[in-house]
Amino acid sequence: MDSDDENIEEVVEGPLDEDGQPHGFCTVTYSSSDRFEGHFTHGEKNGNGKFFFFDGSTLEGFYVDDALQGQGVYTYEDGGVLHGTYVDGELNGLAQEFDGEGRMVFKGQYKDNNRCGECWVYYPDGGCVFGEVNEDGEMTGESVAYIYPDGHTALFGSFVDGELIQACLTTLISNESGRPHFEVTPNSPVYSYDKSTSTCIATHALFPDPYESQRVFVADSLIKGAGQGLFAKTDVETDTVMAFYNGVRITHTEVDSRDWALNGNTISLDEDTVIDVPQPFDQTERYCASLAHKANHSFTPNCKYDPFVHPRFGPIKCIRTLRAVQKDEELTVAYGYDHGPTGKSGPEAPDWYKQELEVACSGVSVVCGFMDAVFRKDTALSTTRTPVWGGLIMASPGVLALFASQRKNSVLVSVMVVAAGLSCAAALFMSGYVCLTLAYGEEDEDVFHHHNSPQVTFVLHRMVKGANATILLTCTISLALSSVIGYVGCRSLPCCGCYDARTGLETLVPQCDPGDTEMVCTWQAGGDGGLFHSPAQSTDQGITEEEEGPSRLPPYSRLT
């Protein structure tokens, strides 16, 4: 972060003294492509100046006798900034470092350009690590603490380069004079680094997170057909981390190649990794070390997914509030569902998602149709009550899809495909009806009821036109959804030319394979007590789909 003493001057732009040395404000470009702009006195930097390094970083401050002295600002090529105290061109003293978005990432002491003494390292997610660094500037020692985003809950103990080895639960009770004081929780369990693998979700699967357990609990969801949900234990403000999403780490290829029904609790961590909470660990009786996978979808969520560096689980996802949340309020997130066919433009929505939207559109059409009927005179066109019966027909594919997806019966699927076709026809017919009615003007006395007040008449006419415009919008959406439901239904029927053998009815029938095994984590008896993976017969074969409740089936590429 300081200038290179071995730089050879190549080009000097500015005034020179009698010896040909820079004198005054000059720009000097070196052979390394570094550039310095500032004040010189007979060839030495004196006064304000700024280095522009070849990698895009800069160093700005006050120079005395060719060396940076006092406060200096080093700007990284990615936009991060380090404010520090320089002595003879080297960092010595208090320094603060910020990332490209202005968030503090480090606060502590430097000596001869190396971190020293007690320092704070901050993560973008709100957590931080405090402790005394070693001679290499690493957060390594027996008295290091990870502090959760609330600024109070902490894990205090042994760390190596900022990574948890063993620690106890503590509380940060004071931070006077910049030095925190930690109070150990009586009978605290011992926490250790427990990053998951592709086969082991956690060494201690029933070991709850101390921060998460203070903020959320699992109960039956208030959302119809969603099974269990995640709820707030206390009132919280906006941008509060509520829960953590840990699970086994698998690849996107593994997710894409297996039955979609197995992807009910998957979320994309990065371009290479997907976090999955497979059965039976989706049950809290088998796994409760993290609970974010219990959050359900909503069109208007109160939370979002965010990256999080967890002291125990490593890089995972968390749930963070988008607004203030009250105690006992259910936490929801947006899964980012796509209504099109699988793989066309985004993650595929589960059946209930498409069905309920289809029924909702038809319900809006029926309501608007009644408004149209109440405020319009009985003309040859309006007496047909097209929006009412058309809306009922549009709802039929969604209702039939519900039963077809549960029963997986070819007759029901066939009826659903036919209903989807009728729904498309009804939507097109209603669209024509609406286009005709929207062409009427307020002056058409033989079409609209009139009121003694011209203002009331004008408002009623606008209400009717607004209702018909809404019908047109819902018809457009319903037409698209009916087409999708019909297409998916055809792909499920072996008799159709577009039949998909991987997702069709033949593969949707649950199969009971007594040879199925699951990889579980066990402790080896005797020896060194090392951890190993072994296949074990599943003990939950008696749990049926009906006992578990309707599947939520969120897509693994939930938007972040």
Side-chain angles (χ1 to χ4, degrees):
M1 290 177 288
D2 56 345
S3 60
D4 187 356
D5 295 335
E6 298 181 357
N7 275 329
I8 301 176
E9 299 174 9
E10 282 193 342
V11 179
V12 178
E13 299 178 12
L16 305 176
D17 62 8
E18 59 274 12
D19 296 325
Q21 298 296 319
H23 190 73
F25 186 86
C26 299
T27 299
V28 179
T29 303
Y30 300 92
S31 58
S32 62
S33 298
D34 295 340
R35 187 178 82 256
F36 180 83
E37 295 179 359
H39 292 272
F40 287 81
T41 302
H42 300 297
E44 292 185 340
K45 306 177 191 71
N46 277 281
N48 291 320
K50 186 174 184 178
F51 256 105
F52 296 85
F53 298 103
F54 72 94
D55 61 358
S57 60
T58 63
L59 177 61
E60 183 176 10
F62 192 86
Y63 288 79
V64 177
D65 297 334
D66 225 24
L68 184 60
Q69 304 285 352
Q71 294 299 309
V73 179
Y74 181 83
T75 303
Y76 296 90
E77 58 271 20
D78 62 357
V81 179
L82 186 151
H83 298 266
T85 304
Y86 286 80
V87 177
D88 295 332
E90 293 186 337
L91 272 171
N92 281 278
L94 182 64
Q96 291 183 338
E97 194 170 346
F98 301 84
D99 65 12
E101 298 182 10
R103 298 170 299 199
M104 183 178 290
V105 296
F106 172 82
K107 181 174 67 175
Q109 298 287 331
Y110 269 84
K111 182 178 180 181
D112 299 333
N113 282 340
N114 294 315
R115 294 177 179 178
C116 67
E118 293 181 340
C119 300
W120 295 82
V121 175
Y122 300 89
Y123 297 118
D125 51 50
C128 62
V129 179
F130 169 81
E132 186 170 344
V133 298
N134 61 12
E135 60 274 10
D136 297 322
E138 299 173 344
M139 197 72 74
T140 299
E142 302 295 327
S143 300
V144 179
Y146 171 85
I147 304 169
Y148 282 92
D150 62 353
H152 301 288
T153 308
L155 299 178
F156 185 85
S158 176
F159 286 72
V160 172
D161 197 13
E163 185 175 292
L164 173 66
I165 301 301
Q166 280 191 339
C168 294
L169 178 62
T170 61
T171 303
L172 176 61
I173 59 176
S174 67
N175 193 7
E176 300 175 359
S177 303
R179 192 179 193 284
H181 176 68
F182 298 94
E183 185 177 84
V184 179
T185 303
N187 302 320
S188 166
V190 177
Y191 297 86
S192 59
Y193 194 62
D194 196 10
K195 184 178 179 180
S196 62
T197 66
S198 61
T199 54
C200 180
I201 192 169
T203 305
H204 304 288
L206 299 178
F207 208 171
D209 181 84
Y211 175 92
E212 183 182 64
S213 59
Q214 297 173 17
R215 283 162 180 78
V216 297
F217 65 94
V218 177
D220 290 337
S221 175
L222 302 178
I223 302 173
K224 179 183 177 182
Q228 290 183 322
L230 197 64
F231 295 81
K233 272 190 177 181
T234 182
D235 296 341
V236 295
E237 299 298 324
T238 306
D239 202 38
T240 300
V241 174
M242 298 297 290
F244 304 111
Y245 206 122
N246 180 54
V248 296
R249 298 168 190 263
I250 56 179
T251 65
H252 290 270
T253 303
E254 292 179 75
V255 173
D256 294 336
S257 62
R258 67 186 187 182
D259 190 342
W260 194 253
L262 299 176
N263 297 330
N265 288 307
T266 48
I267 183 172
S268 177
L269 179 62
D270 52 42
E271 294 181 355
D272 301 318
T273 307
V274 175
I275 294 178
D276 181 25
V277 184
Q279 295 180 353
F281 299 109
D282 56 343
Q283 305 298 317
T284 53
E285 295 80 7
R286 298 294 301 273
Y287 176 76
C288 61
S290 63
L291 298 173
H293 61 279
K294 289 295 185 179
N296 287 307
H297 165 82
S298 173
F299 285 113
T300 55
N302 52 23
C303 295
K304 65 177 181 177
Y305 293 113
D306 255 355
F308 195 91
V309 179
H310 196 277
R312 179 179 164 195
F313 306 125
I316 55 171
K317 287 292 183 73
C318 72
I319 286 182
R320 187 184 297 272
T321 57
L322 291 170
R323 59 169 176 80
V325 174
Q326 296 180 345
K327 180 181 179 181
D328 296 330
E329 182 177 350
E330 183 167 3
L331 304 179
T332 56
V333 288
Y335 289 173
Y337 284 135
D338 176 37
H339 302 292
T342 305
K344 295 297 182 183
S345 59
E348 182 189 14
D351 292 335
W352 63 264
Y353 189 89
K354 298 173 184 174
Q355 296 155 10
E356 291 192 359
L357 188 58
E358 170 79 3
V359 175
C361 288
S362 63
V364 171
S365 295
V366 171
V367 172
C368 292
F370 277 113
M371 292 178 59
D372 178 80
V374 170
F375 297 111
R376 189 188 299 277
K377 288 182 179 180
D378 287 337
T379 63
L381 186 62
S382 63
T383 52
T384 61
R385 300 293 183 262
T386 298
V388 178
W389 60 258
L392 295 176
I393 292 178
M394 287 197 311
S396 59
V399 176
L400 289 170
L402 175 64
F403 291 100
S405 62
Q406 290 180 347
R407 300 295 181 182
K408 301 179 177 59
N409 184 283
S410 59
V411 176
L412 281 175
V413 174
S414 301
V415 175
M416 179 190 72
V417 172
V418 174
L422 292 176
S423 176
C424 291
L428 291 173
F429 194 83
M430 287 173 60
S431 299
Y433 171 90
V434 170
C435 290
L436 290 175
T437 57
L438 284 175
Y440 291 145
E442 285 80 5
E443 68 280 358
D444 295 330
E445 298 182 358
D446 54 342
V447 175
F448 292 102
H449 290 293
H450 282 267
H451 194 273
N452 294 330
S453 172
Q455 291 81 3
V456 174
T457 300
F458 177 80
V459 171
L460 293 178
H461 293 171
R462 289 301 186 205
M463 287 179 60
V464 175
K465 284 184 173 292
N468 280 271
T470 304
I471 293 175
L472 184 59
L473 175 63
T474 56
C475 284
T476 304
I477 298 174
S478 181
L479 182 63
L481 293 178
S482 297
S483 301
V484 171
I485 291 177
Y487 174 76
V488 174
C490 289
R491 287 172 62 88
S492 301
L493 293 174
C495 59
C496 293
C498 59
Y499 172 65
D500 187 342
R502 187 174 65 88
T503 60
L505 284 177
E506 291 182 358
T507 58
L508 288 177
V509 179
Q511 301 291 331
C512 295
D513 184 1
D516 286 347
T517 62
E518 60 169 301
M519 299 302 293
V520 299
C521 300
T522 58
W523 288 99
Q524 182 177 358
D528 58 358
L531 185 68
F532 69 97
H533 305 295
S534 64
Q537 293 293 332
S538 173
T539 59
D540 297 279
Q541 295 178 0
I543 301 178
T544 64
E545 183 179 354
E546 289 75 16
E547 291 172 341
E548 291 178 349
S551 174
R552 295 183 293 122
L553 291 184
Y556 75 93
S557 54
R558 294 172 177 170
L559 302 183
T560 59

